[in-house]
Amino acid sequence: MTIYDDYVDQYSDLRTAYANSGPDDFVAYVNSYSDLVADYQVNNNGRSVAQYGQDHYNTWGRSEGRIVPKAPPTQTKSQWGLNHWNDWGRNEARMLPGAKIALNNNG
């Protein structure tokens, strides 16, 4: 566990953002809807399940209010936290765990 793991854990919005930082999982999307599983069997036109799911979502699913599940994050929490801190956190007056003051680009 690093300071950046703790940084993510101390802010509920960062915990949520990290949990949802993975890519869209269009295979899980298809498998989440029985009508899509059945339609894929008949109308896949040689596409992979992932490509069919992405095509369906972009064409119909979004406007139907369907949800695309997220795959697990591609970065560790520590990597994600470090990137967030460097890109945004230090300028949002957030604090690293154990810090006495919030740091910004001016030190």
Side-chain angles (χ1 to χ4, degrees), residues 5 26 28 34 38 42 44-48 54 64-65 70 75 77 84 90-94 97 101 105-106:
D5 292 292
F26 289 105
S34 60
V42 177
N44 65 51
N45 297 320
R47 293 173 288 179
S48 67
Q54 184 174 11
E64 294 171 347
K70 292 289 191 178
Q75 294 180 310
K77 189 189 307 181
H84 183 277
R90 66 177 52 201
N91 295 317
E92 296 174 338
R94 295 188 191 250
I101 58 170
N105 286 337
N106 298 321

Side-chain angles (χ1 to χ4, degrees), residues 16-85:
T16 300
Y18 172 68
N20 291 309
S21 68
D24 290 336
D25 187 342
F26 289 105
V27 172
Y29 169 72
V30 172
N31 290 330
S32 296
Y33 297 98
S34 60
D35 62 318
L36 298 186
V37 172
D39 188 61
Y40 176 76
Q41 303 291 327
V42 177
N43 296 310
N44 65 51
N45 297 320
R47 293 173 288 179
S48 67
V49 175
Q51 187 60 57
Y52 168 86
Q54 184 174 11
D55 291 347
H56 180 276
Y57 181 75
N58 290 334
T59 304
W60 296 286
R62 182 181 292 118
S63 64
E64 294 171 347
R66 297 193 193 220
I67 304 297
V68 178
K70 292 289 191 178
T74 57
Q75 294 180 310
T76 66
K77 189 189 307 181
S78 182
Q79 291 168 326
W80 191 92
L82 172 62
N83 290 340
H84 183 277
W85 171 255

Side-chain angles (χ1 to χ4, degrees), residues 1-11 15 18 76-79 81-82 97:
M1 191 88 125
T2 71
I3 192 170
Y4 297 105
D5 292 292
D6 293 340
Y7 166 68
V8 172
D9 287 340
Q10 77 181 356
Y11 295 101
R15 287 192 308 270
Y18 172 68
T76 66
K77 189 189 307 181
S78 182
Q79 291 168 326
L82 172 62

Side-chain angles (χ1 to χ4, degrees), residues 86-99:
N86 286 331
D87 294 342
W88 297 286
R90 66 177 52 201
N91 295 317
E92 296 174 338
R94 295 188 191 250
M95 294 182 66
L96 291 174

